[in-house]
Amino acid sequence: KNQVEQSPQSLIILEGKNCTLQCNYTVSPFSNLRWYKQDTGRGPVSLTIMTFSENTKSNGRYTATLDADTKQSSLHITASQLSDSASYICVVRETGANNLFFGTGTRLTVIP
Amino acid sequence: DAGITQSPRHKVTETGTPVTLRCHQTENHRYMYWYRQDPGHGLRLIHYSYGVKDTDKGEVSDGYSVSRSKTEDFLLTLESATSSQTSVYFCAISESLENQPQHFGDGTRLSIL
């Protein structure tokens, strides 16, 4: 069964600290993996998208990694800011079919 | 921000009434999607469109219908709303299936009493 699991479910960190969010998947065959940021009351916004051949991609203070062999991805946030408080969603696309698998997200809270 | 507008943003209605949600895009993207988001669940696809008058069902399509008469507009209709359809509904667009979903609207919060 194709699944996407994210951990932790929630996380609280101090402003200025780094953190790493995890996404493990069983989707096969794999096409791509995307990380979204969703602010409260807003729609998800794409941060990065990675294909099978990419193992690192950055977007400002956000760096995503992908290990297609172990089917794991991580999103690393550097020098966190209050505005990073949001839910982060991992989405994996299956090759050859119009199937996307959404994780349930990690709720990040950055406190001063 | 991508040009996606959802209306209304909030709606409260009663069980058994029809409800139509609208998504309007200014990006001229071919693909449009409707998702629902509920606590404890990832976003779930209701229906999607791959062109004017071309639509297909998603994972949770029962109780919903859609229409796309113009490239820029995608309507989601609940013919007879039920309390289980209380949710936040998101519209999304993409240029291609491989790149879906690229951009989301800000959602419609629908409460059915």
Side-chain angles (χ1 to χ4, degrees):
Chain A
K1 180 182 176 182
N2 287 318
Q3 285 187 314
V4 175
E5 294 187 355
Q6 294 187 240
S7 62
Q9 282 191 328
S10 62
L11 182 63
I12 301 174
I13 63 172
L14 290 174
E15 185 179 12
K17 298 295 186 183
N18 304 334
C19 67
T20 299
L21 314 180
Q22 296 290 340
C23 174
N24 296 338
Y25 62 93
T26 59
V27 178
S28 181
F30 171 87
S31 176
N32 60 51
L33 183 149
R34 197 190 289 258
W35 283 95
Y36 291 89
K37 177 188 179 191
Q38 184 176 19
D39 292 319
T40 300
R42 303 294 301 274
V45 174
S46 180
L47 294 175
T48 64
I49 181 169
M50 304 177 72
T51 60
F52 186 89
S53 59
E54 298 171 300
N55 55 26
T56 302
K57 186 169 279 189
S58 292
N59 178 357
R61 294 180 296 102
Y62 300 100
T63 299
T65 65
L66 174 66
D67 186 333
D69 291 331
T70 62
K71 297 185 177 179
Q72 297 179 325
S73 177
S74 65
L75 181 69
H76 186 74
I77 304 174
T78 304
S80 61
Q81 301 176 357
L82 298 179
S83 59
D84 292 330
S85 294
S87 289
Y88 292 84
I89 302 170
C90 173
V91 184
V92 181
R93 184 168 187 272
E94 183 182 10
T95 298
N98 186 26
N99 290 329
L100 287 181
F101 298 90
F102 287 80
T104 55
T106 293
R107 177 71 200 177
L108 174 66
T109 303
V110 181
I111 59 175
Chain B
D1 289 352
I4 306 174
T5 304
Q6 291 187 234
S7 59
R9 291 296 314 280
H10 303 272
K11 187 173 182 65
V12 180
T13 191
E14 295 182 345
T15 300
T17 60
V19 177
T20 296
L21 308 183
R22 180 179 183 245
C23 177
H24 178 78
Q25 62 143 334
T26 58
E27 305 295 320
N28 201 34
H29 283 358
R30 177 182 177 185
Y31 296 89
M32 299 185 75
Y33 314 84
W34 278 107
Y35 290 90
R36 61 179 290 174
Q37 187 175 43
D38 303 290
H41 292 273
L43 283 150
R44 292 181 290 176
L45 181 65
I46 304 171
H47 282 281
Y48 72 99
S49 170
Y50 47 97
V52 173
K53 298 185 179 178
D54 293 323
T55 65
D56 205 351
K57 296 179 179 180
E59 175 189 359
V60 291
S61 59
D62 287 349
Y64 301 95
S65 63
V66 291
S67 65
R68 191 170 178 197
S69 58
K70 297 185 291 185
T71 299
E72 57 266 36
D73 291 327
F74 193 32
L75 303 181
L76 176 70
T77 297
L78 291 64
E79 299 290 348
S80 178
T82 68
S83 58
S84 65
Q85 294 176 310
T86 292
S87 187
V88 181
Y89 291 86
F90 288 97
C91 174
I93 62 174
S94 69
E95 293 174 292
S96 66
L97 279 179
E98 289 75 24
N99 204 16
Q100 56 143 327
Q102 277 177 280
H103 309 290
F104 283 86
D106 280 336
T108 293
R109 183 171 293 277
L110 178 63
S111 296
I112 300 166
L113 307 178

